[in-house]
Amino acid sequence: MGLLLLVPLLLLPGSYGLPFYNGFYYSNSANDQNPGNGHGKDLLNGVKLVVETPEETLFTYQGASVILPCRYHYEPALGSPRRVRIKWWKLSENGAPEKDVLVAIGVRHRSFGDYQGRVHLRQEKEHDVSLEIQDLRLEDYGRYRCEVIDGLEDESGLVELELRGVVFPYQSPNGRYQLNFHEGQQVCAEQGAVVASFEQLFRAWEEGLDWCNAGWLQDATVQYPIMLPRQPCGGPGLAPGVRSYGPRHRRRHRYDVFCFATALKGRVYYLEHPEKLTLTEAKEACQEDDATIAKVGQLFAAWKFHGLDRCDAGWLADGSVRYPVVHPHPNCGPPEPGVRSFGFPDPQSRLYGVYCYRQH
């Protein structure tokens, strides 16, 4: 019956251009001037529709499930329930397109794109339209809008979702400043990560990240974090901070890249093996141990969130050799914690072990 009531909208003046998905109409967010988060509109005879979402950012990790809270009510309260439409979508970030997530009327709902099969409305209590996202992916972090539509009135609120993770600089095997923006995106993805946002890099700088090579960020700017000002990094006279080259041409200009990896569902470990291995032998050894050779992002996440502390250099999936140190000690590199790198040695070299990754 709901579909039959919606179809005549096509004949109404001003209805042209309304987005339409599987029988659902909803307003175009590009024209949505409502700031949301608790400011209701007049609905009928002085009644206001109010949507409530949390002001604080929600933090979670890759592979987890999370609930984005959203509730609505009427002021003053209504004596009988009203039929409303619900829309969830992810706002655009740094030039990325806006994404429809889910639309619903009553028990009827539809999800879209990569969210299909991973999202549903909670609706456990009256007026609760919270969104549950399962098996979170790296690209799921960002700002989500919950919109409640009652007749011609709508109200919405924002929920910000952030993944707990670690930022790490990445340099091409061919050397410093070899990656354009698109190549930076590719190498981060290959290493179990995404290109870091400015907010993520800034948070990493606050936690002590000091790196003199400039790298791409998600918004196609090029920046680098400095804790200890020095001559090769802008000069000793400049204050500590995140230095910026500003926006660069995505194809023509070449730099390093800052990647962002989140906490793991699995385990990274140094494979105890009777002898040192070539890169090919290292990959085969992990497979024989029912695992895969670890990616750079996985090693950084294991160091950051699982306290992986090992002074043995080992091969990783990209052909680099690294080792993680949580508690620095003699004969194990610099006095600060971090993931040490030997660069990209000859893949036929038998001087190193291997770090493997096994999913839980």
Side-chain angles (χ1 to χ4, degrees):
M1 184 63 183
L3 266 174
L4 296 176
L5 293 175
L6 286 170
V7 170
L9 283 173
L10 291 171
L11 306 177
L12 293 176
S15 66
Y16 299 106
L18 273 173
F20 175 74
Y21 293 103
N22 197 29
F24 296 105
Y25 286 97
Y26 49 84
S27 63
N28 188 336
S29 61
N31 299 320
D32 182 8
Q33 303 299 318
N34 177 21
N37 285 33
H39 299 284
K41 295 182 178 180
D42 288 333
L43 183 66
L44 183 65
N45 297 329
V47 176
K48 289 185 177 180
L49 170 64
V50 179
V51 171
E52 298 174 311
T53 52
E55 294 184 2
E56 66 276 7
T57 301
L58 304 182
F59 284 89
T60 185
Y61 58 92
Q62 185 180 3
S65 295
V66 66
I67 295 172
L68 308 187
C70 182
R71 290 180 55 81
Y72 70 95
H73 66 274
Y74 298 93
E75 295 179 353
L78 298 177
S80 58
R82 293 176 64 89
R83 187 176 178 84
V84 298
R85 289 173 285 163
I86 307 300
K87 176 189 174 184
W88 278 93
W89 75 92
K90 187 173 185 287
L91 276 63
S92 60
E93 301 279 350
N94 300 316
E98 185 177 273
K99 291 183 178 180
D100 291 321
V101 177
L102 178 144
V103 291
I105 301 178
V107 297
R108 297 173 55 240
H109 69 276
R110 181 178 178 184
S111 54
F112 301 93
D114 295 337
Y115 293 100
Q116 292 186 44
R118 297 196 296 129
V119 297
H120 70 272
L121 291 183
R122 298 277 288 181
Q123 293 184 302
E124 294 181 352
K125 299 179 181 178
E126 186 180 12
H127 297 169
D128 184 3
V129 290
S130 300
L131 181 75
E132 180 172 1
I133 308 178
Q134 299 175 335
D135 190 23
L136 277 163
R137 302 173 183 176
L138 278 168
E139 59 270 20
D140 286 340
Y141 78 87
R143 295 181 300 154
Y144 291 78
R145 186 173 288 279
C146 168
E147 183 177 39
V148 180
I149 306 164
D150 186 335
L152 297 178
E153 302 297 339
D154 66 90
E155 178 63 20
S156 63
L158 285 175
V159 182
E160 185 160 359
L161 179 65
E162 183 64 83
L163 301 182
R164 296 191 184 278
V166 56
V167 173
F168 61 94
Y170 191 87
Q171 189 174 96
S172 165
N174 297 323
R176 180 173 178 260
Y177 293 177
Q178 297 294 314
L179 303 169
N180 67 28
F181 176 75
H182 303 289
E183 291 166 343
Q185 288 180 311
Q186 181 179 344
V187 298
C188 286
E190 289 172 350
Q191 297 313 310
V194 294
V195 179
S197 67
F198 171 78
E199 292 78 13
Q200 290 164 345
L201 182 66
F202 186 82
R203 190 177 301 119
W205 169 76
E206 290 181 315
E207 295 174 355
L209 180 60
D210 183 275
W211 196 257
C212 201
N213 290 348
W216 292 104
L217 294 180
Q218 191 183 83
D219 59 358
T221 62
V222 172
Q223 314 199 32
Y224 62 100
I226 294 297
M227 296 293 297
L228 301 173
R230 49 202 184 274
Q231 191 58 48
C233 308
L238 293 179
V242 177
R243 313 275 172 79
S244 177
Y245 287 12
R248 304 278 91 180
H249 194 282
R250 295 177 184 235
R251 294 191 180 277
R252 188 168 63 246
H253 292 141
R254 294 183 176 272
Y255 296 93
D256 294 342
V257 63
F258 288 99
C259 302
F260 175 82
T262 72
L264 302 169
K265 293 179 69 175
R267 171 177 170 257
V268 174
Y269 60 97
Y270 182 82
L271 180 65
E272 300 293 346
H273 198 273
E275 56 188 17
K276 302 300 183 182
L277 305 161
T278 66
L279 176 58
T280 299
E281 291 169 343
K283 294 178 179 179
E284 293 172 349
C286 288
Q287 292 175 350
E288 292 171 359
D289 203 44
D290 296 324
T292 57
I293 188 169
K295 299 177 180 180
V296 177
Q298 292 169 339
L299 184 68
F300 269 92
W303 164 76
K304 176 77 172 181
F305 298 104
H306 298 283
L308 184 60
D309 188 23
R310 187 85 190 210
C311 202
D312 296 284
W315 291 106
L316 295 177
D318 65 337
S320 66
V321 171
R322 307 174 195 247
Y323 64 97
V325 175
V326 177
H327 305 290
H329 48 89
N331 303 319
C332 203
E336 300 85 15
V339 175
R340 323 285 196 220
S341 176
F342 280 64
F344 297 85
D346 180 354
Q348 299 302 316
S349 170
R350 282 195 169 88
L351 297 176
Y352 312 105
V354 61
Y355 287 92
C356 302
Y357 172 73
R358 182 184 294 145
Q359 286 190 320
H360 288 159

